[in-house]
Amino acid sequence: QVQLVESGGGLVQAGGSLRLSCAASGSLFSINTMGWYRQAPGKQRELVAVITTGRTNYADSVKGRFTISRDNAKNTVYLQMNSLKPEDTGVYYCLRSDYRGNYWGQGTQVTVSS
């Protein structure tokens, strides 16, 4: 019932910036949580950032560098990533959660070179 399309991933040098976008469509409810997870090769998927109604939460490793935001009118969530480090490399997945359950995007690759 929900489709999530991510964009904005790519290759960037350490210290650079990227902005990820995730646009939701389908059967959407206004009360929801959206967020970003990432998975590095050989590692489990981990929480990067989430945003609910006026509240955000970040992994310690990205605090002060990443900013999550949302545009409810556009049903879109963003992840502004600054001061990128090689350890930020991974596949980034968009998540949308509502009372029915969780919905995931296809993932977008972020590669940070040293």
Side-chain angles (χ1 to χ4, degrees), residues 17-75:
S17 299
L18 286 173
R19 190 179 78 154
L20 306 183
S21 299
C22 175
S25 62
S27 180
L28 306 179
F29 291 85
S30 60
I31 302 175
N32 63 84
T33 297
M34 295 193 73
W36 293 93
Y37 285 68
R38 68 187 181 190
Q39 187 168 21
K43 297 183 179 180
Q44 290 190 334
R45 192 174 301 183
E46 64 176 351
L47 172 69
V48 177
V50 294
I51 184 166
T52 58
T53 305
R55 178 175 294 186
T56 59
N57 188 46
Y58 298 90
D60 288 341
S61 60
V62 307
K63 287 181 179 177
R65 300 187 298 118
F66 291 10
T67 302
I68 188 170
S69 61
R70 64 189 298 167
D71 185 336
N72 290 329
K74 297 181 179 179
N75 296 311

Side-chain angles (χ1 to χ4, degrees), residues 5 10-12 18 21 30-31 33 36 48 53 63 69 72-73 76 79 84 90-91 99 104-106 108 112-113:
V5 179
L11 175 65
V12 65
L18 286 173
S21 299
S30 60
I31 302 175
T33 297
W36 293 93
V48 177
T53 305
K63 287 181 179 177
S69 61
N72 290 329
T76 300
L79 185 67
L84 282 162
V91 179
Y99 80 99
W104 293 92
Q106 80 287 353
T108 184
V112 184
S113 62

Side-chain angles (χ1 to χ4, degrees), residues 85-107:
K85 304 175 181 179
E87 50 263 44
D88 295 318
T89 294
V91 179
Y92 283 67
Y93 297 90
C94 179
L95 169 71
R96 184 181 178 96
S97 299
D98 59 33
Y99 80 99
R100 299 167 297 178
N102 300 330
Y103 305 90
W104 293 92
Q106 80 287 353

